[in-house]
Amino acid sequence: MKKQIKKYRYSIVVLLVLLSAAYYVCLPKTLFNDPYATVLNAENGEMLSARIARDGQWRFPEVDSISDKYEKALLTFEDQYFYSHPGVNPLAMGRAMVQNLKAGSVVSGGSTLSMQVIRMYRKGKSRNVYEKLVEMILATRLELRYSKKNILKLYASHAPFGGNTVGIEAASWRYFGRRANDLSWAEAALLAVLPNQPSLLYPGRNTAPLKAKRDRLLDKMYDEGFFDETSLELAKEEPIPSKPNDIPIEALHLLDKGVKDGKEGQRLQTTLDAHLQRRVDRVVKNHNALLRLDGIENASAIVLDVRSNTVKAYIGNVYEEGASSTGQQVDVIQAPRSTGSLLKPILYASLLDEGLMLPKSLLPDVPVYFKNFVPKNFTREYDGAVHADMALARSLNIPAVHMLQDYGYPRFHEKLKGLGMTTLTQPASHYGLSMILGGSEGTLWDLTNIYAGMARTLTRFNGRTPEKRYEKSDFDFANYDGANSKVQSSLFNERAKKQPTENIELSYNKQLSASSIWFTFKAMLEVYRPGDDAQWKLYSSAKKIAWKTGTSFGYRDGWAIGVTPEYVVGVWVGNADGEGRPGLTGIQAAAPILFDIFDVLPETTWFNPPMAEMVYAPVDRQSGYLASSYSIQVDTVLIPKAGLNTMASPFHQRVHLDKTRSYRVNSDCEPVVDMISTNWFVLPPKQALYYKKRNPTYEELPPLRSDCFGESLDMEVMDMVYPEPDAQVYIPINLEGEREQVVFEVAHRKPNSQLHWHLDDVYLGTTQGNHVLALTPLAGQHIITVVDEEGHRLLRNFTVLEKVGE
């Protein structure tokens, strides 16, 4: 015998090794490759919405833990010796064989939970002796690989619960509308027995046998001492659900974004505040119900937490299941739309940041004409000249265009991209000066993130050391995935993949200075609309909020963004298909939603000034520039340090008057000792023409006395309102087949002066008071000449085009 063993020892060893290897590899590394539903949870773990798995099953991602109640119910019903057996329970198998023999049929399987996990993994295998043996072998292998807790989680995640509901989490929501961790004893018992015969015992069908089976389990658990008699009676009183519940559809558009971001089939533990999400959704829906009466179908809103850089509420669009509203599937937060005036505060801050302007610098507000761009103020009225902060508060278009012209649209184009505007896919020349008035598209996501980055820069400034006051992370995109808060959607990281490091460093060296942001938000505190839009005052809030509205061309988009140190709120209203509607403006349609959202937010504060970047300086009160030696009224005020590099006021000059103060004089006609010298606020003629209409106290310069020769000041006497220098003009043909007229206009310091007009040296006529002349020049190049009665001459070249685009 020993010789025989020695003879076959090597073969036995080889056989054992092969059997061991086969046993080791008999179980794949991943048991379940089933597709999972995508689940969106709030920060407190409450489910907000879910998207069904690709195979049509409500199968949620595998659970991380199992509630104590469900585990006790499951083990009591299925496998009381789960924690002591190695995957197979011989006693249970023996008892099942005896019961089956006595009954003459299969009435008990004797399978452990480990064996049931194997059966679910192997899907659809026959239930015969051979398959049972395979299950037993694989179950023991399962026990060697996984802990008991993990085996329980595998079972709970993949057990069938009737219909297309798979797994404890999906079943808890479908049958009870809550998380599995919040189940009662009765609910836990019901879900413990349900997978035993899911096709027969299904809520809504066979209710009586299902309740009886649940109650028997509750009796057994009472006997085991899991709860008292009162709890048992109360548990038995709980009804059996009549039908599966619908899955919630809150924050559905953020769920879609998560899928697009590569998170399909995952459980998204978001940063959303469930309570706030519902309140914001209610605010938007209430306003949308009224807006629909005016044909405005869609609305969206987003709330960002500035300090944590997280998304707290996300309403991609008004969504109501079964509603007839068009476009409600579109996530407008991510959709590129014309920005209207929302870029004006960023431009204002950019000029302050680079020392090109002071907060109250006087800007032109007169009609301007470019080759293919004729900007106009929303009210079609002009102030002549207006302080920069008021131009921003009133959202005046003409001053904004002048600011962009001074800053340079290529530079602003790069600034916006550096701050996080991802929609500028064309070169700067494609947008030109129209960029500042909605000529470029942006998303509510990008814009709210930029404003949040500005707020974060300002709030963190005073708490940082000088060398760390500006961080690249200040302008990271807000994070919405709370489970991956350390792996945020970083703007810097995205750009780093596409650009050399040195270019990125230049872009992020200093996005916007804290001082420029502070003055910008200060100007945005009291957004103002003149004339018909004076109703903005109805939307004032007890909270200090820097806010800005925007309206796109054709009334297609209404925007509103509000900023505090704690939150940024962004609102869009309109039609997803781009249809414009009268009254669809930011101030009328979006601003009321903005302030109602702020009313449901916790109390907010206001920004502390970044004094390290600010300095007191003498500023001319009338012009808003640094005071000059000719300034009349000087205020010592805070300005950004960069503003010390700006020029002194160019609007004040020293003039000499006669004793009557009625005429300007010079040494050629008046003794110096008889002259009265004074400082005078002087605007260019075109600006003065409009400025004095709104400012009756504005005093024009007295005329030069007739016996004086030459000008005592180097100044313009008159200027052409239209056309601009080297303008290209197309004159359309009317319905009668005749060319329309072009209106030429001149501003003169003395409106009552007589002006003599010439076109190409041909005398046209004389104007007085209102210097306007309508002409129909032929196609080609022309020169218009205007001469006043004192011999001052104004020439302007222009070209009349034969056809548009010539």
Side-chain angles (χ1 to χ4, degrees), residues 375-536:
K376 291 181 173 61
N377 289 333
F378 187 80
T379 60
R380 299 297 193 269
E381 297 178 350
Y382 306 94
D383 283 21
V386 64
H387 293 293
D389 59 345
M390 284 306 299
L392 176 60
R394 293 169 56 190
S395 198
L396 298 177
N397 291 338
I398 302 301
V401 172
H402 281 288
M403 283 195 288
L404 184 56
Q405 202 171 22
D406 291 342
Y407 190 76
Y409 60 79
R411 191 197 308 185
F412 189 55
H413 181 265
E414 284 304 306
K415 172 71 77 174
L416 291 172
K417 291 199 296 184
L419 293 175
M421 196 162 168
T422 61
T423 51
L424 298 176
T425 56
Q426 301 294 327
S429 58
H430 174 80
Y431 308 104
L433 294 174
S434 69
M435 185 189 313
I436 199 61
L437 303 183
S440 62
E441 291 185 327
T443 65
L444 192 58
W445 174 256
D446 285 356
L447 292 167
T448 51
N449 272 282
I450 290 174
Y451 280 97
M454 294 167 68
R456 202 156 30 251
T457 298
L458 189 50
T459 56
R460 293 177 178 178
F461 179 87
N462 289 322
R464 288 170 168 169
T465 57
E467 65 274 9
K468 293 186 177 180
R469 279 176 174 157
Y470 295 97
E471 296 287 344
K472 299 167 185 176
S473 60
D474 286 346
F475 281 84
D476 278 353
F477 287 133
N479 178 53
Y480 67 90
D481 186 356
N484 295 293
S485 58
K486 293 183 179 180
V487 190
Q488 295 190 7
S489 177
S490 170
L491 170 64
F492 176 74
N493 290 337
E494 289 300 316
R495 289 173 61 87
K497 297 174 184 177
K498 302 175 183 178
Q499 299 183 21
T501 303
E502 58 269 18
N503 289 342
I504 299 168
E505 294 298 333
L506 287 173
S507 295
Y508 280 92
N509 183 34
K510 189 172 67 172
Q511 296 94 338
L512 284 170
S513 66
S515 59
S516 69
I517 296 170
W518 190 85
F519 280 104
T520 301
F521 287 169
K522 184 172 181 288
M524 293 167 62
L525 260 178
E526 192 174 272
V527 174
Y528 169 76
R529 296 291 186 276
D532 294 338
D533 283 335
Q535 61 184 310
W536 70 273

Side-chain angles (χ1 to χ4, degrees), residues 110-128:
S111 295
T112 63
L113 283 176
S114 302
M115 292 173 65
Q116 291 184 50
V117 169
I118 294 300
R119 186 182 306 134
M120 287 186 287
Y121 144 65
R122 299 182 73 224
K123 287 186 180 66
K125 297 293 183 180
S126 301
R127 300 186 67 176
N128 52 43

Side-chain angles (χ1 to χ4, degrees), residues 270-403:
T270 71
T271 60
L272 295 183
D273 181 321
H275 179 64
L276 180 63
Q277 174 73 21
R278 294 188 183 106
R279 296 191 72 181
V280 173
D281 186 60
R282 193 177 307 119
V283 167
V284 176
K285 284 180 177 176
N286 288 343
H287 281 275
N288 182 251
L290 296 175
L291 291 170
R292 284 181 182 174
L293 299 177
D294 294 325
I296 303 170
E297 296 287 336
N298 308 113
S300 62
I302 185 171
V303 178
L304 303 182
D305 186 306
V306 171
R307 289 170 177 169
S308 65
N309 196 20
T310 54
V311 180
K312 290 301 173 186
Y314 192 103
I315 314 297
N317 205 332
V318 175
Y319 182 84
E320 295 180 76
E321 198 166 24
S324 59
S325 176
T326 58
Q328 64 176 1
Q329 298 286 353
V330 178
D331 181 359
V332 188
I333 291 177
Q334 304 296 331
R337 310 287 299 198
S338 171
T339 58
S341 297
L342 288 187
L343 302 182
K344 290 177 181 176
I346 303 171
L347 176 60
Y348 178 86
S350 298
L351 272 87
L352 296 180
D353 182 38
E354 300 192 28
L356 300 175
M357 184 182 74
L358 292 184
K360 288 184 173 292
S361 291
L362 207 59
L363 300 173
D365 184 25
V366 294
V368 290
Y369 305 87
F370 300 95
K371 181 177 179 180
N372 296 312
F373 179 46
V374 183
K376 291 181 173 61
N377 289 333
F378 187 80
T379 60
R380 299 297 193 269
E381 297 178 350
Y382 306 94
D383 283 21
V386 64
H387 293 293
D389 59 345
M390 284 306 299
L392 176 60
R394 293 169 56 190
S395 198
L396 298 177
N397 291 338
I398 302 301
V401 172
H402 281 288
M403 283 195 288

Side-chain angles (χ1 to χ4, degrees), residues 357-365 384-389 399 406 620-625 649-652 681-684 687 691:
M357 184 182 74
L358 292 184
K360 288 184 173 292
S361 291
L362 207 59
L363 300 173
D365 184 25
V386 64
H387 293 293
D389 59 345
D406 291 342
D620 184 275
R621 182 182 298 178
Q622 288 174 295
S623 70
Y625 283 72
S649 174
F651 299 105
H652 288 81
F681 176 54
V682 183
L683 288 172
Q687 295 181 35
Y691 186 81

Side-chain angles (χ1 to χ4, degrees), residues 545-691:
I545 301 167
W547 60 294
K548 185 74 186 74
T549 60
T551 304
S552 68
F553 178 77
Y555 302 100
R556 293 182 175 89
D557 307 273
W559 304 82
I561 288 182
V563 185
T564 70
E566 292 79 20
Y567 299 100
V568 171
V569 176
V571 175
W572 174 92
V573 293
N575 290 305
D577 61 4
E579 180 186 0
R581 302 293 298 177
L584 204 175
T585 65
I587 190 70
Q588 292 177 334
I593 302 176
L594 176 82
F595 283 101
D596 280 355
I597 291 174
F598 268 108
D599 284 342
V600 303
L601 289 172
E603 282 300 314
T604 56
T605 60
W606 186 244
F607 301 95
N608 294 317
M611 296 302 297
E613 279 190 354
M614 300 163 74
V615 63
Y616 282 97
V619 173
D620 184 275
R621 182 182 298 178
Q622 288 174 295
S623 70
Y625 283 72
L626 291 177
S628 73
S629 57
Y630 300 138
S631 292
I632 301 170
Q633 294 173 300
V634 176
D635 297 320
T636 300
V637 297
L638 278 171
I639 65 170
K641 281 184 178 180
L644 293 173
N645 299 321
T646 59
M647 64 186 297
S649 174
F651 299 105
H652 288 81
Q653 302 195 37
R654 190 75 169 169
V655 298
H656 307 288
L657 307 176
D658 65 6
K659 290 182 179 180
T660 68
R661 293 180 177 265
S662 301
Y663 295 97
R664 283 183 287 121
V665 293
N666 54 41
S667 58
D668 292 334
C669 59
E670 186 80 7
V672 174
V673 294
D674 293 335
M675 294 181 188
I676 298 174
S677 298
T678 187
N679 297 333
W680 208 280
F681 176 54
V682 183
L683 288 172
K686 188 190 297 188
Q687 295 181 35
L689 175 69
Y690 293 91
Y691 186 81

